C-alpha cells in the first residue's frame, strides 16, 4: 500500500493540472491504512481516501470545489464504461429528493431485444418506481437494498412495482440484469406543425459503441435533407473528446472547420510542451468517413447532466461560428480532461488539462447557461416537437419567445401528468462525467 501511495503522489506531482495546490497530508494517517474488511476493499478505500485528500482543496467564487471531477475506479469498471458496456437493465433513472421524500422515475429506456431488459418488459419513460423487491424506494432504512436492485453489481433478477403516468393503479415488472453494449445514440426525422423537417439526434455517451449510430444518423439526415437539427445532450455526461470532435465536424462540415481547432488542451506549466490542438475529425476511430451536414445553426438541448465532452461540442462549434441555440438547463461546467492511467487494478483520472476552442474561449467552470431555461419533463416522449425542450427549439426557430420556466416545470397530481422539477438528477456514478483522450 505504501508503494501505491508513492505512485499516486508522483503521478499527481507530474500530471495534475493543479499540482501546485496539492495539500500536505500525513501518509501514515489511519484513513490511508484501513483494516477490518477484505484485503481488496481495505486497499481501495485506503487509496481512495489518500487520492481524494491530495486533490485541489480550493473553491470557485460560486462555492463549488475547483476539482470536483478527479476520480479513481476499478480498471474493470472503467474498461466497461469506455467500451459502452453496462451491467444492468438498459435504462436511465432520475431521482428527486432523499430519504422519505425520495422518488425515482425512468428517464430513458435503451432500445434492444434482450429478454429481461427494461424495454422488453415494457417499461417506459415517465414510469415511477415505487418499490424494489418489496422495499419502498423512499424507505431510508432499506436504501442500500433499493440501490442494489436499481443498479446491481452482478446478474440478478428483481421485481419492480411501477406507477405509470396517467394511471391510478400500479404494475409489477420482473427484470434481469445483464452486461450489454448499449446503443448510445438514436435518431429520427420529424415534421413540426409548420411542416419544417427536423433531424433529432439523442446522444447519451461519448463511447466507442456510439460511433455506428452517430454515423448512421448523420448519413440519414443528409439523405433526407433535413432543414433543422436538434442535438439532444441532456443525459450525456461526456467521454472521448475525439468523438465530440467528429460529431461537431458532422454538424459544421469541412468548409467551416478547415484548418480550425476543435479544442486545444492546456496542461500545467511543467507540461506545456504537451499542449495539443485537436482538429475537427472527419473520420471516426476506425477511419470511417463522417457525413457532413454543413449547418450554420444547431439547437442543443441540455441539463445539469450535460458535461465535459458534451460541453466541448458547444464550445467547439461556437469557435467556428456555428450558432448554437442552447435550450434546457445550465451544463455541469467541466472544461477539464485527462488520460486514464492504470496501476494495480485501479484506473486513475486526475484532471490534467483545460480545453479552449479555436478562438481561445473556454473557462466555463460555471457551466453554459441556456438562452431558454426549460426543465426536462419525463412524462413527455423524447424526440417529439411537443416535448418541452424540443418545443422550445421549434419556438425559437419561429422567432417566438422562450416559454416561462414555471410553465415548463409543471408537476402533475398523483397521476403524474408532468414532471419537470428542479433537483431531479440522473442516478449515475459521478466519475462518468468526463472528457478523456485516448492513450
Amino acid at each position: 500500500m505504501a508503494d501505491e501511495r508513492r505512485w499516486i503522489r508522483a503521478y499527481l506531482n507530474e500530471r495534475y493540472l493543479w499540482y501546485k495546490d496539492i495539500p500536505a497530508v500525513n501518509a501514515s494517517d489511519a484513513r490511508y491504512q484501513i483494516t477490518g474488511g477484505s484485503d481488496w476493499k481495505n486497499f481501495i478505500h485506503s487509496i481512495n481516501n489518500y487520492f481524494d485528500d491530495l486533490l485541489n482543496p480550493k473553491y470557485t467564487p460560486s462555492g463549488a470545489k475547483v476539482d470536483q471531477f478527479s476520480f479513481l475506479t476499478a480498471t474493470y469498471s472503467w474498461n466497461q464504461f469506455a467500451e459502452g458496456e453496462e451491467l444492468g437493465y438498459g435504462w436511465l433513472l432520475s431521482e428527486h429528493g432523499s430519504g422519505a421524500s425520495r422518488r425515482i422515475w425512468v428517464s430513458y429506456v435503451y432500445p434492444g431485444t434482450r429478454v429481461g431488459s427494461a424495454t422488453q418488459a415494457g417499461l417506459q419513460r415517465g414510469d415511477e418506481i415505487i418499490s424494489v423487491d418489496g422495499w419502498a424506494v423512499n424507505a431510508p432504512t432499506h436504501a442500500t437494498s433499493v440501490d442494489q436492485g436499481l443498479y446491481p453489481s452482478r446478474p440478478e433478477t428483481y421485481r419492480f412495482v411501477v406507477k405509470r403516468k396517467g394511471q391510478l393503479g400500479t404494475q409489477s415488472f420482473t427484470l434481469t440484469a445483464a452486461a450489454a453494449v448499449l446503443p448510445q445514440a438514436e435518431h429520427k426525422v420529424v415534421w413540426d406543425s409548420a411542416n419544417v423537417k427536423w433531424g433529432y439526434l439523442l446522444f447519451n455517451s461519448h463511447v466507442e459503441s456510439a460511433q455506428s449510430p452517430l454515423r448512421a444518423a448523420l448519413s440519414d439526415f443528409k439523405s433526407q435533407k433535413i432543414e433543422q437539427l436538434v442535438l439532444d445532450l441532456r443525459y450525456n455526461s461526456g467521454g472521448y473528446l475525439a468523438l465530440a470532435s467528429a460529431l461537431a465536424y458532422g454538424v459544421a462540415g469541412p468548409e467551416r472547420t478547415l484548418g480550425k481547432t476543435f479544442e486545444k488542451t492546456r496542461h500545467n506549466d511543467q507540461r506545456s510542451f504537451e499542449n495539443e490542438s485537436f482538429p475537427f475529425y472527419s473520420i471516426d476511430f476506425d477511419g470511417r468517413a463522417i457525413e457532413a451536414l454543413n449547418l450554420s445553426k444547431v439547437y442543443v438541448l441540455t441539463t445539469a447532466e450535460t458535461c465535459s465532452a458534451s460541453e466541448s461540442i458547444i464550445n467547439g462549434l461556437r469557435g467556428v461560428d456555428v450558432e448554437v441555440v442552447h435550450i434546457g438547463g445550465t451544463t455541469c461546467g467541466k472544461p477539464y480532461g485527462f488520460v486514464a492511467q492504470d496501476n494495480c487494478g485501479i484506473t486513475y483520472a486526475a484532471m490534467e488539462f483545460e480545453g479552449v476552442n479555436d478562438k481561445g474561449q473556454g473557462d466555463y467552470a460555471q457551466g453554459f447557461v441556456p438562452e431558454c431555461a426549460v426543465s426536462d419533463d419525463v412524462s413527455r416522449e423524447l424526440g417529439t416537437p411537443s416535448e418541452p425542450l424540443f418545443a422550445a427549439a421549434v419556438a425559437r426557430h419561429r422567432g417566438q419567445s422562450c416559454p416561462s420556466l414555471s410553465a415548463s416545470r409543471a408537476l402533475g397530481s398523483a397521476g403524474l401528468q408532468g414532471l419537470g422539477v428542479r433537483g431531479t438528477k440522473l442516478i449515475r456514478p459521478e466519475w462518468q462525467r468526463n472528457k478523456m483522450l485516448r492513450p
Side-chain angles (χ1 to χ4, degrees):
M1 197 176 297
D3 288 342
E4 190 72 4
R5 288 197 299 269
R6 283 190 287 271
W7 184 91
I8 291 172
R9 188 58 189 255
Y11 159 63
L12 292 175
N13 284 343
E14 175 190 348
R15 305 189 70 86
Y16 191 40
L17 182 61
W18 301 286
Y19 76 95
K20 293 180 180 179
D21 296 309
I22 295 175
V25 300
N26 179 5
S28 62
D29 190 296
R31 295 177 60 254
Y32 313 145
Q33 303 173 72
I34 295 174
T35 60
S38 69
D39 289 344
W40 177 246
K41 286 185 177 180
N42 289 343
F43 178 75
I44 286 288
H45 291 155
S46 300
I47 292 304
N48 190 69
N49 288 341
Y50 184 69
F51 178 80
D52 284 349
D53 287 356
L54 291 176
L55 301 180
N56 187 348
K58 294 182 178 179
Y59 289 81
T60 67
S62 66
K65 291 192 68 174
V66 170
D67 185 6
Q68 54 184 307
F69 304 109
S70 294
F71 67 91
L72 61 81
T73 190
T75 298
Y76 173 76
S77 298
W78 171 255
N79 289 340
Q80 276 192 314
F81 167 74
E83 294 167 5
E85 183 176 273
E86 180 180 304
L87 175 63
Y89 313 109
W91 63 16
L92 292 176
L93 302 179
S94 296
E95 66 179 344
H96 178 73
S98 60
S101 63
R102 187 187 194 193
R103 296 177 72 184
I104 297 174
W105 290 270
V106 177
S107 289
Y108 178 71
V109 177
Y110 285 92
T113 58
R114 181 181 67 80
V115 175
S117 66
T119 185
Q120 284 298 296
L123 271 292
Q124 300 176 5
R125 173 174 163 86
D127 286 345
E128 181 174 9
I129 297 177
I130 306 300
S131 68
V132 181
D133 265 7
W135 304 117
V137 300
N138 63 346
T141 55
H142 303 305
T144 300
S145 297
V146 168
D147 290 344
Q148 178 61 35
L150 295 174
Y151 285 99
S153 57
R154 55 184 180 272
E156 292 179 320
T157 299
Y158 287 87
R159 183 174 60 86
F160 299 87
V161 173
V162 169
K163 185 175 183 180
R164 179 146 292 169
K165 57 187 177 183
Q167 298 182 5
L168 297 178
T170 60
Q171 301 181 51
S172 181
F173 295 86
T174 298
L175 305 180
T176 301
V181 175
L182 301 174
Q184 296 294 348
E186 61 175 281
H187 76 282
K188 61 176 69 173
V189 175
V190 297
W191 285 260
D192 66 19
S193 59
N195 210 32
V196 174
K197 185 186 291 187
W198 291 79
Y200 171 81
L201 174 57
L202 176 67
F203 181 26
N204 286 335
S205 187
H206 292 71
V207 293
E208 291 193 26
S209 61
Q211 293 187 102
S212 291
L214 284 176
R215 287 189 300 102
L218 292 169
S219 179
D220 192 28
F221 291 158
K222 187 167 185 177
S223 66
Q224 294 206 46
K225 297 181 172 59
I226 63 166
E227 298 170 75
Q228 302 296 329
L229 174 65
V230 166
L231 177 55
D232 193 340
L233 302 175
R234 75 183 73 194
Y235 300 140
N236 193 322
S237 59
Y240 285 119
L241 185 64
L243 197 50
S245 170
L247 178 55
Y249 170 84
V251 172
E255 185 174 335
R256 285 181 180 273
T257 61
L258 180 64
K260 299 294 183 68
T261 295
F262 173 70
E263 182 161 305
K264 181 176 181 179
T265 61
R266 294 177 175 172
H267 296 78
N268 67 42
D269 58 3
Q270 301 176 124
R271 302 174 59 206
S272 59
F273 64 92
E274 295 184 51
N275 292 349
E276 186 175 2
S277 294
F278 288 86
F280 286 79
Y281 289 118
S282 60
I283 57 174
D284 68 8
F285 296 159
D286 300 316
R288 296 170 294 192
I290 303 296
E291 292 277 12
L293 301 178
N294 306 306
L295 300 176
S296 61
K297 178 188 290 187
V298 62
Y299 296 83
V300 177
L301 313 183
T302 71
T303 65
E305 303 294 335
T306 307
C307 201
S308 205
S310 291
E311 293 172 297
S312 290
I313 293 177
I314 296 172
N315 201 47
L317 287 173
R318 286 176 171 167
V320 293
D321 296 318
V322 171
E323 182 183 354
V324 177
V325 183
H326 181 189
I327 293 166
T330 300
T331 62
C332 86
K334 182 178 177 289
Y336 316 114
F338 63 91
V339 177
Q341 303 289 319
D342 299 339
N343 198 61
C344 293
I346 301 174
T347 295
Y348 294 85
M351 296 302 104
E352 297 184 30
F353 62 85
E354 183 173 6
V356 297
N357 64 19
D358 191 72
K359 296 181 178 182
Q361 299 165 334
D363 193 23
Y364 47 86
Q366 305 302 312
F368 287 117
V369 179
E371 67 176 66
C372 281
V374 183
S375 292
D376 183 24
D377 183 345
V378 299
S379 72
R380 304 294 184 90
E381 181 184 352
L382 292 175
T384 60
S386 62
E387 187 274 323
L389 275 72
F390 198 156
V394 173
R396 296 304 288 160
H397 172 64
R398 295 175 179 174
Q400 300 169 0
S401 61
C402 298
S404 68
L405 187 58
S406 59
S408 73
R409 201 165 61 230
L411 177 63
S413 62
L416 187 61
Q417 296 304 313
L419 174 67
V421 293
R422 285 181 175 175
T424 301
K425 64 178 184 178
L426 286 186
I427 304 175
R428 76 167 23 139
E430 287 295 316
W431 61 263
Q432 291 186 7
R433 305 165 71 189
N434 56 61
K435 170 165 58 182
M436 62 226 193
L437 304 182
R438 300 187 88 200

